[in-house]
Amino acid sequence: MIGSVIKGLLRLASLRYGARGAGLNRLAGLFFVIFAAFGAPTLAAPVTVLALGDSLTQGYGLPPEDGLVPQLGRWLAAHGTEAELINAGVSGDTTAGGRARVEWSLTPEVGAVIVALGGNDLLRGLAPEEARANLDAILTTVGARGLPVLLVGLKAPGNYGAAYQADFDAIWPDLAAKHGALLLPDLLAPIAALPPETRAAEGLMQGDNIHPSAKGVAMVVEALGPKVQELVAKAAP
């Protein structure tokens, strides 16, 4: 369109000013060539974000469009952030499983990574030091690619004892500081902050009381979205 406008102005100059217009035409034509070569704006491609996680990321028990990743994608678009999200959530995956597949999950187009693992380690009562070692290895692998990362944690329940809870909860801030990662300490915090009767009345959890409903995921995304915006901003050229 810009080229058409310039050509129209050049023709008008020739008709109105004759030979002088022809000179202007040639000069403007030179500017047009320069503009075409250097002045056309280049639109950056959206950042591709890999979401490496478990069933909470994968969208267990929900229609595909209501899972965490699709809802997050819509939230980002509505808030002016262009990103392509890859759903690398695997139901039942532990931090060890994430560690085993992170290398081949980092395909060339990936520009940033969300790491949201640990829930199944908690459910199985696996040792905090094992989860820490696995997450540390995942972040090291991502860091070696020069990619920014958002580490997303979960709060440990108290049924394994205070020491276990404290050791597990310390993993997220410790590793985020070590690797210079962005941090969301507790993915489910917006839901957990509500009394159980409120969660039930509003239908925020699925029947297993482990996975959020579509409405619960929407609450989670409201807290997660701004952190992912920061992540995308760090990855943008």
Side-chain angles (χ1 to χ4, degrees):
M1 180 177 177
I2 293 174
S4 298
V5 172
I6 293 175
K7 289 177 181 178
L9 292 174
L10 297 180
R11 184 171 180 275
L12 179 61
S14 295
L15 293 173
R16 185 169 182 181
Y17 296 107
R20 184 183 170 200
L24 290 172
N25 197 336
R26 286 192 295 272
L27 180 60
L30 176 61
F31 284 127
F32 176 72
V33 171
I34 295 172
F35 175 84
F38 302 105
T42 301
L43 298 178
V47 174
T48 298
V49 180
L50 176 75
L52 185 74
D54 50 33
S55 57
L56 295 174
T57 300
Q58 182 264 335
Y60 175 87
L62 297 172
E65 67 274 12
D66 289 336
L68 179 69
V69 173
Q71 288 208 46
L72 176 60
R74 293 195 295 271
W75 188 96
L76 291 172
H79 289 78
T81 297
E82 290 191 56
E84 298 287 344
L85 304 181
I86 297 175
N87 189 342
V90 175
S91 290
D93 214 5
T94 61
T95 56
R99 179 178 183 174
R101 63 190 174 91
V102 63
E103 189 75 49
W104 55 260
S105 297
L106 295 172
T107 49
E109 72 273 15
V110 172
V113 180
I114 300 169
V115 177
L117 289 160
N120 288 303
D121 297 63
L122 286 169
L123 288 174
R124 300 178 189 185
L126 301 179
E129 57 268 24
E130 293 179 11
R132 179 185 287 268
N134 290 328
L135 289 168
D136 193 9
I138 290 170
L139 295 175
T140 298
T141 299
V142 175
R145 304 286 184 93
L147 302 175
V149 62
L150 168 61
L151 181 61
V152 179
L154 289 169
K155 290 292 183 183
N159 54 307
Y160 297 122
Y164 181 98
Q165 186 178 40
D167 288 347
F168 215 103
D169 288 350
I171 292 173
W172 321 109
D174 287 354
L175 291 182
K178 176 180 178 180
H179 292 274
L182 295 171
L183 174 65
L184 185 71
D186 184 7
L187 178 65
L188 299 179
I191 299 174
L194 299 173
E197 56 270 20
T198 302
R199 295 177 224 162
E202 296 189 8
L204 299 179
M205 299 297 291
Q206 296 183 44
D208 60 10
N209 205 36
I210 294 174
H211 300 92
S213 65
K215 188 175 179 181
V217 170
M219 286 186 63
V220 168
V221 165
E222 286 294 328
L224 176 62
K227 283 293 184 180
V228 179
Q229 284 185 308
E230 289 184 52
L231 178 70
V232 171
K234 289 185 71 173

